[in-house]
Structure formats: C-alpha cells, structure tokens
Amino acid sequence: MLTTEARQKILADNEAAAGELRQRFAAAGTLVVDLISGPGSGKTSLLEETARRMSRELRLGCVVGDIATERDARRLAAAGLRARQIMTGGACHLDARVVRDAVDAERFGELDILFIENVGNLVCPASYALGEDFKIVLLSVTEGQDKPLKYPGIFSRACAAVITKIDLLPYVRFDLEQARGEIRLLRPDAQIVLTSVTTGEGIESWCDLLRGALERKRRPALVP
Amino acid sequence: MLTTEARQKILADNEAAAGELRQRFAAAGTLVVDLISGPGSGKTSLLEETARRMSRELRLGCVVGDIATERDARRLAAAGLRARQIMTGGACHLDARVVRDAVDAERFGELDILFIENVGNLVCPASYALGEDFKIVLLSVTEGQDKPLKYPGIFSRACAAVITKIDLLPYVRFDLEQARGEIRLLRPDAQIVLTSVTTGEGIESWCDLLRGALERKRRPALVP
C-alpha cells in the first residue's frame, strides 16, 4: 500500500500542474469538463451525441484516456469532435501532466469546450485535478442505485451527475429516488440529468448545462 | 505519477503476503476465487445466486471490498453466505494484507470456497495477488463488447470471463462474438460463461466451474 506521504506528494505535484492548466484555460476562455464513470457507463456515447448537437455552434475538443486502444478517439472523431487519445499503458487515471502534453500536442488552445474523458474507473480519477472547471460523474441505470454511497469520492466532487441509459429502466431494477437521495446526501447542490442517447431524452438538458457553464465562465458576474 | 521502483516495491511486498495466504489456503484445501469487474457488473448478484445454490453442499465464505458502506456484505449474508466486509476507505483495490486480516478476523479457516469480491474497478485490482487460485472477470452486456482490449490487464489474467445480464441482450447493442474474440485474443484458454441471475441462465455452468476447480485442487493429478 502506498504511504500517506507518498500519496500526498503525488497529489501535490499534480495540483501544481493542474493549476498551470487552469490558468491557461482561463486565459483562453475554454470551459473544461472532466467526465468520470465506471467502464461502459456511456461517456463516449454521450460525447458523440453532444458533438452531433453542438459542434456547429461551438469549437469542441476532447482528450480521452484509456489503458489501451484508440477506439474512443476514433469514435469521437467520427462524430465530429477533435479528439486526442491518451493511452495510459496501465495507469488507472489521467493526471494533469499527461493532459497538458495532450493539449500541447493537439494544439487545443482555441476551444470553447474541452472535454476530458477519463479512464473508465469510478475511484482513482476522482482525486486528480486536471485543470477542469468541474467534474461530471455518469451512472448508468444498469449499474444499480446503490453506487453513490459506495463511491462517495467522485459523487461528492462532481457538480453534476448524469444518469445514463434511462431507456433501459423498464428492464432493470433501479430505484431512481434512492439514487437521487444518495447523490444529494453527498452533494446537496448536485445537478442531476437523466439521459438516453438511444431516445435522445435529456440530451438537450445536458447541452444546456454546458452552454450555461460556458456563458458563466466568460461573463463573470458584475454584481456579487 | 508513482515511480516504477515504488510500484514494484508495493507489488513485491504484496506478493510476499499473498504467498503466505496461498500456503494457508493450500493447507486448508480452500479454493479461493478473486472476482473483479467494474461497478455494477453484478459481482454481488452472482454471489448471492451462487450461495443460494451451493451453500447446502459446500462451506462458502466471502471477503468483500468496497470504498465505503457494508451493503454488499449484508446482501451476501442475507443470501446465506458468511461475509466479511472490508471498507478500504478510498483504496481502489484489495491487497493481500487486508484480505489476511479479514480472514483472520472472521476465522475463515475451514471453508471449501472463499470468494473475494474485489472493489468495483477493472483496472487496479488486476495487479494484486491475494492468495487466490484464480481471478474471474465479469463483464455485463450493458457495458459494451469493446471492453476486453480496453482493459487488457484483467482480461489476460482472468482464467474465466463471466458475461452477465444476458437477459438484457434484446435491449442493448452488444456484439457477443466480438467480446468472445477479444477475450480469447488476450487469453486463448479463457473459459467464457454467459449468465443471467434474472432468468437463471448459465448459473449452473458457473457453479460447475467452481465445483470442478475445487475437485482439481483437492485431488492433484496422479498422472502428469
């Protein structure tokens, strides 16, 4: 097991690199969104649908992390998103340095929104700042309503939870009220968006959440 | 990022503790099975169903790891399985020391089969030996057929892959042949078992796999 000191050192080094990224994105006016979920919850599918709806109005890009394969970047590029794959080669999460290298390599300086699709893992990515404006957690209804309290790290850090695959609700046991209650227990101000890329339900609400966040980032409130 | 040396030291320490556990389980004739999957793939549901079918013929126990909550241990106990919850408090995988402590605390000395339900994470648990006879990976059809090559560590280490929730096949896009092909590419001798705890399909094949492994463990081949 990693010692507490070693872990703190790693996180402090990462925080420093994330701080630099945050400054760069602030100067460029780029909204940065870190998407986190377990494997197969639908991160790539949500981003494909987001790109189809928003890529004509906004300059979108994505850095996508996987242990191996470039599949997700290829899917996203086919949906019209500028995408850069990071193959972590075993690492269970992205860190700020690999994101910075990918942003530099892809010349992602002029985007409206940069998505970071993290490695499919509900645990480790929660602890790593990547210069993002906020983290989003995805939970598919097939995974069960008990996940928020079992993975409190990410559900308390994410400002919004996207419940995916709601078209499958008739076929699985998923207690939506319990899921909502657990998310709000961990993060009372969490936005909760119900989506299905199969039926299209909720996708516009998700896009509106992004549009609103981008607008707020670019027009700081004049009145406190 | 953790240095290679630090990572190797952690794994070597773990391997030493796992070796001790392996000797203890060999002396006791206990078959030990480490179950690994992403969150919500159905590890607990499969073990509940396994307990219902096998707990009259065999002495079964389970050590179950989660970041937080004792939910899974309570579910397993209700299904008739002696279960000990390990709350990792943030750690993304079980290691051999915490398993040893749980086995000692629960006096799991006299079991036929000890299941280890790992933390819901397809990445990190793959690298940690826990004194098990083998690792099993679970993949639900709702997660998509592309996961084996994206998570090659666990799919190459697991001697069997259990494809879960096959009752949902009519409602999702899941290419079973691609999944099979990718699993076999990583692990040509992998057993692949298709299951649904909702319909009961495949559960007896899974139980037979366990019965066969226990029998082989207890009756070493006389002929090489």
Short mmCIF file of all heavy atoms in Angstrom, two decimals, chain B residues 92-131:
data_model
loop_
_atom_site.label_atom_id
_atom_site.label_comp_id
_atom_site.label_asym_id
_atom_site.label_seq_id
_atom_site.Cartn_x
_atom_site.Cartn_y
_atom_site.Cartn_z
N CYS B 92 -8.40 1.71 -4.00
CA CYS B 92 -9.12 1.31 -5.21
C CYS B 92 -9.04 -0.19 -5.47
O CYS B 92 -9.49 -0.66 -6.51
CB CYS B 92 -8.53 2.07 -6.39
SG CYS B 92 -6.73 1.95 -6.45
N HIS B 93 -8.46 -0.95 -4.56
CA HIS B 93 -8.32 -2.39 -4.75
C HIS B 93 -8.07 -3.02 -3.39
O HIS B 93 -7.70 -2.32 -2.43
CB HIS B 93 -7.13 -2.70 -5.66
CG HIS B 93 -5.84 -2.18 -5.09
ND1 HIS B 93 -5.39 -0.91 -5.30
CD2 HIS B 93 -4.93 -2.75 -4.24
CE1 HIS B 93 -4.25 -0.72 -4.65
NE2 HIS B 93 -3.95 -1.81 -4.00
N LEU B 94 -8.25 -4.32 -3.29
CA LEU B 94 -7.82 -5.06 -2.10
C LEU B 94 -6.37 -5.47 -2.26
O LEU B 94 -5.90 -5.67 -3.38
CB LEU B 94 -8.69 -6.30 -1.91
CG LEU B 94 -10.18 -6.03 -1.64
CD1 LEU B 94 -10.94 -7.35 -1.55
CD2 LEU B 94 -10.36 -5.21 -0.37
N ASP B 95 -5.64 -5.58 -1.14
CA ASP B 95 -4.31 -6.18 -1.22
C ASP B 95 -4.26 -7.37 -0.26
O ASP B 95 -5.19 -7.62 0.51
CB ASP B 95 -3.20 -5.15 -0.97
CG ASP B 95 -3.23 -4.58 0.44
OD1 ASP B 95 -3.66 -5.29 1.38
OD2 ASP B 95 -2.80 -3.43 0.61
N ALA B 96 -3.16 -8.11 -0.34
CA ALA B 96 -3.10 -9.39 0.39
C ALA B 96 -3.16 -9.19 1.90
O ALA B 96 -3.72 -10.02 2.63
CB ALA B 96 -1.84 -10.15 -0.01
N ARG B 97 -2.63 -8.08 2.39
CA ARG B 97 -2.64 -7.87 3.84
C ARG B 97 -4.05 -7.64 4.38
O ARG B 97 -4.41 -8.18 5.42
CB ARG B 97 -1.76 -6.66 4.20
CG ARG B 97 -0.30 -6.97 4.03
CD ARG B 97 0.56 -6.11 4.96
NE ARG B 97 1.95 -6.36 4.64
CZ ARG B 97 2.66 -5.63 3.78
NH1 ARG B 97 2.14 -4.57 3.21
NH2 ARG B 97 3.92 -5.94 3.53
N VAL B 98 -4.83 -6.81 3.69
CA VAL B 98 -6.18 -6.57 4.21
C VAL B 98 -7.03 -7.83 4.09
O VAL B 98 -7.89 -8.09 4.95
CB VAL B 98 -6.87 -5.35 3.54
CG1 VAL B 98 -6.09 -4.07 3.77
CG2 VAL B 98 -7.13 -5.55 2.07
N VAL B 99 -6.77 -8.65 3.07
CA VAL B 99 -7.50 -9.91 2.95
C VAL B 99 -7.11 -10.84 4.10
O VAL B 99 -7.96 -11.46 4.75
CB VAL B 99 -7.24 -10.58 1.58
CG1 VAL B 99 -7.79 -12.01 1.55
CG2 VAL B 99 -7.86 -9.75 0.46
N ARG B 100 -5.82 -10.91 4.40
CA ARG B 100 -5.37 -11.76 5.51
C ARG B 100 -6.02 -11.31 6.82
O ARG B 100 -6.53 -12.14 7.59
CB ARG B 100 -3.85 -11.69 5.63
CG ARG B 100 -3.28 -12.58 6.73
CD ARG B 100 -1.81 -12.25 6.98
NE ARG B 100 -1.66 -10.85 7.37
CZ ARG B 100 -0.54 -10.14 7.24
NH1 ARG B 100 0.54 -10.70 6.72
NH2 ARG B 100 -0.48 -8.88 7.62
N ASP B 101 -6.04 -10.02 7.07
CA ASP B 101 -6.65 -9.53 8.30
C ASP B 101 -8.13 -9.90 8.38
O ASP B 101 -8.64 -10.27 9.45
CB ASP B 101 -6.48 -8.00 8.41
CG ASP B 101 -5.01 -7.61 8.60
OD1 ASP B 101 -4.19 -8.51 8.91
OD2 ASP B 101 -4.69 -6.42 8.45
N ALA B 102 -8.81 -9.80 7.25
CA ALA B 102 -10.24 -10.13 7.23
C ALA B 102 -10.46 -11.63 7.46
O ALA B 102 -11.36 -12.04 8.20
CB ALA B 102 -10.86 -9.71 5.90
N VAL B 103 -9.61 -12.45 6.84
CA VAL B 103 -9.71 -13.91 7.00
C VAL B 103 -9.46 -14.29 8.46
O VAL B 103 -10.17 -15.13 9.04
CB VAL B 103 -8.71 -14.61 6.05
CG1 VAL B 103 -8.53 -16.08 6.42
CG2 VAL B 103 -9.19 -14.47 4.60
N ASP B 104 -8.47 -13.64 9.09
CA ASP B 104 -8.19 -13.92 10.50
C ASP B 104 -9.35 -13.48 11.39
O ASP B 104 -9.78 -14.21 12.29
CB ASP B 104 -6.91 -13.19 10.93
CG ASP B 104 -5.67 -13.83 10.32
OD1 ASP B 104 -5.77 -14.99 9.84
OD2 ASP B 104 -4.61 -13.17 10.31
N ALA B 105 -9.86 -12.28 11.12
CA ALA B 105 -10.92 -11.73 11.97
C ALA B 105 -12.18 -12.59 11.89
O ALA B 105 -12.88 -12.76 12.88
CB ALA B 105 -11.22 -10.29 11.56
N GLU B 106 -12.46 -13.13 10.71
CA GLU B 106 -13.70 -13.89 10.52
C GLU B 106 -13.49 -15.37 10.77
O GLU B 106 -14.43 -16.16 10.72
CB GLU B 106 -14.20 -13.65 9.07
CG GLU B 106 -15.64 -14.04 8.81
CD GLU B 106 -16.66 -13.15 9.48
OE1 GLU B 106 -16.32 -11.99 9.80
OE2 GLU B 106 -17.79 -13.62 9.72
N ARG B 107 -12.25 -15.78 11.06
CA ARG B 107 -11.91 -17.20 11.25
C ARG B 107 -12.39 -18.05 10.08
O ARG B 107 -13.14 -19.01 10.23
CB ARG B 107 -12.50 -17.72 12.56
CG ARG B 107 -11.93 -16.95 13.73
CD ARG B 107 -12.34 -17.53 15.05
NE ARG B 107 -11.90 -16.65 16.14
CZ ARG B 107 -12.12 -16.88 17.41
NH1 ARG B 107 -12.76 -17.97 17.78
NH2 ARG B 107 -11.69 -16.04 18.33
N PHE B 108 -11.92 -17.63 8.90
CA PHE B 108 -12.31 -18.30 7.66
C PHE B 108 -11.39 -19.49 7.38
O PHE B 108 -11.03 -19.76 6.24
CB PHE B 108 -12.22 -17.32 6.49
CG PHE B 108 -13.49 -16.56 6.22
CD1 PHE B 108 -13.46 -15.31 5.60
CD2 PHE B 108 -14.73 -17.10 6.54
CE1 PHE B 108 -14.63 -14.62 5.31
CE2 PHE B 108 -15.91 -16.41 6.26
CZ PHE B 108 -15.86 -15.17 5.65
N GLY B 109 -10.99 -20.23 8.42
CA GLY B 109 -10.01 -21.30 8.23
C GLY B 109 -10.54 -22.56 7.59
O GLY B 109 -9.80 -23.35 7.01
N GLU B 110 -11.86 -22.79 7.67
CA GLU B 110 -12.38 -24.12 7.34
C GLU B 110 -13.35 -24.11 6.18
O GLU B 110 -14.30 -24.87 6.15
CB GLU B 110 -13.10 -24.69 8.58
CG GLU B 110 -12.21 -24.82 9.80
CD GLU B 110 -11.12 -25.88 9.60
OE1 GLU B 110 -11.41 -26.94 9.03
OE2 GLU B 110 -9.98 -25.62 10.01
N LEU B 111 -13.13 -23.25 5.23
CA LEU B 111 -14.08 -23.14 4.12
C LEU B 111 -13.72 -24.08 2.97
O LEU B 111 -12.56 -24.44 2.78
CB LEU B 111 -14.08 -21.71 3.58
CG LEU B 111 -14.56 -20.61 4.52
CD1 LEU B 111 -14.39 -19.25 3.85
CD2 LEU B 111 -16.01 -20.82 4.93
N ASP B 112 -14.74 -24.40 2.16
CA ASP B 112 -14.48 -25.07 0.89
C ASP B 112 -14.11 -24.03 -0.17
O ASP B 112 -13.15 -24.22 -0.91
CB ASP B 112 -15.72 -25.87 0.45
CG ASP B 112 -16.01 -27.00 1.42
OD1 ASP B 112 -15.10 -27.82 1.66
OD2 ASP B 112 -17.13 -27.06 1.96
N ILE B 113 -14.90 -22.99 -0.25
CA ILE B 113 -14.60 -21.92 -1.22
C ILE B 113 -14.66 -20.57 -0.53
O ILE B 113 -15.63 -20.25 0.17
CB ILE B 113 -15.60 -21.90 -2.41
CG1 ILE B 113 -15.66 -23.27 -3.11
CG2 ILE B 113 -15.21 -20.82 -3.42
CD1 ILE B 113 -16.65 -23.34 -4.28
N LEU B 114 -13.60 -19.80 -0.70
CA LEU B 114 -13.61 -18.40 -0.25
C LEU B 114 -13.65 -17.52 -1.48
O LEU B 114 -12.76 -17.57 -2.34
CB LEU B 114 -12.34 -18.08 0.56
CG LEU B 114 -12.19 -16.59 0.93
CD1 LEU B 114 -13.27 -16.14 1.91
CD2 LEU B 114 -10.80 -16.31 1.51
N PHE B 115 -14.70 -16.72 -1.59
CA PHE B 115 -14.77 -15.73 -2.66
C PHE B 115 -14.19 -14.42 -2.15
O PHE B 115 -14.38 -14.06 -0.99
CB PHE B 115 -16.23 -15.48 -3.08
CG PHE B 115 -16.91 -16.69 -3.62
CD1 PHE B 115 -17.81 -17.42 -2.84
CD2 PHE B 115 -16.66 -17.11 -4.92
CE1 PHE B 115 -18.43 -18.55 -3.35
CE2 PHE B 115 -17.28 -18.24 -5.43
CZ PHE B 115 -18.17 -18.97 -4.64
N ILE B 116 -13.48 -13.74 -3.01
CA ILE B 116 -13.04 -12.38 -2.70
C ILE B 116 -13.71 -11.47 -3.72
O ILE B 116 -13.41 -11.55 -4.92
CB ILE B 116 -11.51 -12.25 -2.78
CG1 ILE B 116 -10.83 -13.24 -1.81
CG2 ILE B 116 -11.09 -10.81 -2.46
CD1 ILE B 116 -9.32 -13.29 -1.95
N GLU B 117 -14.67 -10.69 -3.26
CA GLU B 117 -15.33 -9.75 -4.16
C GLU B 117 -14.56 -8.45 -4.08
O GLU B 117 -14.62 -7.73 -3.09
CB GLU B 117 -16.80 -9.54 -3.78
CG GLU B 117 -17.49 -8.63 -4.78
CD GLU B 117 -18.92 -8.24 -4.43
OE1 GLU B 117 -19.63 -9.01 -3.76
OE2 GLU B 117 -19.31 -7.14 -4.84
N ASN B 118 -13.80 -8.16 -5.12
CA ASN B 118 -12.91 -7.00 -5.10
C ASN B 118 -13.69 -5.70 -5.24
O ASN B 118 -14.88 -5.70 -5.54
CB ASN B 118 -11.86 -7.15 -6.21
CG ASN B 118 -10.47 -6.77 -5.75
OD1 ASN B 118 -10.28 -5.70 -5.20
ND2 ASN B 118 -9.49 -7.64 -5.96
N VAL B 119 -13.02 -4.58 -5.02
CA VAL B 119 -13.60 -3.26 -5.24
C VAL B 119 -14.01 -3.16 -6.72
O VAL B 119 -13.33 -3.68 -7.60
CB VAL B 119 -12.56 -2.17 -4.92
CG1 VAL B 119 -13.12 -0.78 -5.21
CG2 VAL B 119 -12.11 -2.28 -3.46
N GLY B 120 -15.13 -2.52 -6.99
CA GLY B 120 -15.61 -2.37 -8.37
C GLY B 120 -14.69 -1.50 -9.19
O GLY B 120 -14.76 -0.27 -9.12
N ASN B 121 -13.81 -2.14 -9.97
CA ASN B 121 -12.74 -1.41 -10.66
C ASN B 121 -12.07 -2.42 -11.58
O ASN B 121 -11.54 -3.43 -11.12
CB ASN B 121 -11.76 -0.87 -9.60
CG ASN B 121 -10.60 -0.07 -10.17
OD1 ASN B 121 -10.25 -0.22 -11.34
ND2 ASN B 121 -9.99 0.75 -9.33
N LEU B 122 -12.08 -2.16 -12.87
CA LEU B 122 -11.49 -3.11 -13.83
C LEU B 122 -9.98 -2.96 -13.95
O LEU B 122 -9.35 -3.74 -14.65
CB LEU B 122 -12.10 -2.90 -15.23
CG LEU B 122 -13.28 -3.75 -15.65
CD1 LEU B 122 -13.64 -3.46 -17.10
CD2 LEU B 122 -13.00 -5.25 -15.49
N VAL B 123 -9.41 -1.94 -13.33
CA VAL B 123 -8.00 -1.64 -13.57
C VAL B 123 -7.12 -2.14 -12.43
O VAL B 123 -6.42 -3.14 -12.54
CB VAL B 123 -7.78 -0.12 -13.79
CG1 VAL B 123 -6.35 0.14 -14.24
CG2 VAL B 123 -8.78 0.44 -14.80
N CYS B 124 -7.16 -1.42 -11.32
CA CYS B 124 -6.16 -1.62 -10.26
C CYS B 124 -6.16 -3.02 -9.64
O CYS B 124 -5.08 -3.57 -9.38
CB CYS B 124 -6.34 -0.57 -9.18
SG CYS B 124 -6.61 1.09 -9.86
N PRO B 125 -7.32 -3.63 -9.38
CA PRO B 125 -7.27 -4.94 -8.71
C PRO B 125 -6.56 -6.02 -9.53
O PRO B 125 -6.09 -7.01 -8.96
CB PRO B 125 -8.76 -5.30 -8.54
CG PRO B 125 -9.47 -3.99 -8.52
CD PRO B 125 -8.71 -3.15 -9.52
N ALA B 126 -6.44 -5.82 -10.84
CA ALA B 126 -5.82 -6.85 -11.68
C ALA B 126 -4.38 -7.14 -11.29
O ALA B 126 -3.89 -8.25 -11.47
CB ALA B 126 -5.88 -6.41 -13.15
N SER B 127 -3.69 -6.15 -10.74
CA SER B 127 -2.25 -6.30 -10.46
C SER B 127 -1.94 -6.93 -9.11
O SER B 127 -0.79 -7.20 -8.81
CB SER B 127 -1.57 -4.92 -10.49
OG SER B 127 -1.78 -4.30 -11.74
N TYR B 128 -2.95 -7.12 -8.26
CA TYR B 128 -2.68 -7.54 -6.89
C TYR B 128 -3.06 -8.99 -6.65
O TYR B 128 -4.24 -9.36 -6.71
CB TYR B 128 -3.41 -6.62 -5.89
CG TYR B 128 -2.76 -5.26 -5.85
CD1 TYR B 128 -3.03 -4.31 -6.82
CD2 TYR B 128 -1.81 -4.96 -4.87
CE1 TYR B 128 -2.39 -3.08 -6.81
CE2 TYR B 128 -1.17 -3.73 -4.86
CZ TYR B 128 -1.46 -2.80 -5.83
OH TYR B 128 -0.83 -1.59 -5.83
N ALA B 129 -2.06 -9.82 -6.35
CA ALA B 129 -2.32 -11.20 -5.95
C ALA B 129 -2.86 -11.19 -4.54
O ALA B 129 -2.42 -10.42 -3.68
CB ALA B 129 -1.02 -12.00 -6.01
N LEU B 130 -3.84 -12.05 -4.28
CA LEU B 130 -4.48 -12.10 -2.96
C LEU B 130 -4.45 -13.52 -2.40
O LEU B 130 -5.23 -13.85 -1.51
CB LEU B 130 -5.94 -11.62 -3.08
CG LEU B 130 -6.15 -10.22 -3.68
CD1 LEU B 130 -7.64 -9.92 -3.82
CD2 LEU B 130 -5.47 -9.15 -2.83
N GLY B 131 -3.56 -14.35 -2.93
CA GLY B 131 -3.51 -15.74 -2.49
C GLY B 131 -4.57 -16.60 -3.18
O GLY B 131 -4.82 -17.73 -2.79
#
